[in-house]
Amino acid sequence: MNDNLERLFSRRSFLRRGSCAALGLAGLSSQLFTSRAMAAALEGVAFNDYRALVCVFLFGGNDSGNTLIPLDGGQQNYADYAIERAGLAIPRSQLAATTIAPVNTRGRRFALHPSLKGMKRLFDSGNVAAVANVGTLL
C-alpha cells in the first residue's frame, strides 16, 4: 500500500500529471478563443444559400452493380454488364424509366435500378450526382 501511495504522489508522477493538465488546459483555452473569434467574425452575416454534402456509405448493404447500370459506350456497355451480372442483370426494357441524362460522362448513358425512380427525379433536378470508382485500393 505504501509503495502505491509513494508512486501516486511521487515528484515524477506529480510533474507528469501537472504537465498533462497544463497541456490540456492550454488546448481548451485555445479552442475557446478560436470559437469566440469565429463567432465574432460571423456575427451579422446572413446565410441564405444553405447547402449540404451527404455521403452514404453502404458497407455491404448495396448491390452497386445494379444501382448505376451502363447502357452504352466506353469500356463497359450493357452487353458486358449483362454477361458479368448473369442472372442478376436488370432487363434493358425495365431501364427506360430510370435512364439519366449524361452529364460529365463523355457521352455514356446510364440508368438507375428501376426501384430508384425517386432518385431519378433528384438526378433530373440536378440535386444528386453519382461519384463512381472512388475508394481505397486495398
Side-chain angles (χ1 to χ4, degrees), residues 6-18:
E6 286 178 18
R7 263 188 269 135
L8 184 64
F9 294 110
S10 69
R11 181 172 55 174
R12 182 172 289 164
S13 175
F14 174 75
L15 290 173
R16 185 180 318 127
R17 292 171 193 240

Side-chain angles (χ1 to χ4, degrees), residues 1-134:
M1 179 78 177
N2 263 348
D3 283 344
N4 288 338
L5 282 176
E6 286 178 18
R7 263 188 269 135
L8 184 64
F9 294 110
S10 69
R11 181 172 55 174
R12 182 172 289 164
S13 175
F14 174 75
L15 290 173
R16 185 180 318 127
R17 292 171 193 240
S19 298
C20 287
L23 285 172
L25 188 59
L28 180 63
S29 63
S30 173
Q31 182 61 35
L32 288 174
F33 176 75
T34 303
S35 297
R36 285 187 197 151
M38 289 294 289
L42 295 175
E43 192 173 305
V45 176
F47 292 103
N48 297 330
D49 189 22
Y50 175 77
R51 292 175 185 236
L53 174 63
V54 178
C55 297
V56 179
F57 296 98
L58 301 171
F59 296 107
N62 178 37
D63 180 8
S64 61
N66 276 344
T67 300
L68 191 63
I69 302 166
L71 292 180
D72 56 10
Q75 291 178 337
Q76 184 183 24
N77 57 27
Y78 183 83
D80 295 334
Y81 156 80
I83 291 169
E84 289 175 14
R85 300 297 291 176
L88 298 174
I90 307 292
R92 193 178 191 106
S93 60
Q94 293 181 15
L95 299 175
T98 57
T99 301
I100 55 177
V103 177
N104 297 328
T105 60
R106 297 183 182 154
R108 294 184 64 195
R109 292 183 321 128
F110 293 90
L112 298 171
H113 189 279
S115 65
L116 296 175
K117 290 178 182 162
M119 186 72 74
K120 183 188 180 322
R121 285 192 295 274
L122 293 172
F123 266 96
D124 292 344
S125 66
N127 290 319
V128 168
V131 181
N133 300 325
V134 176

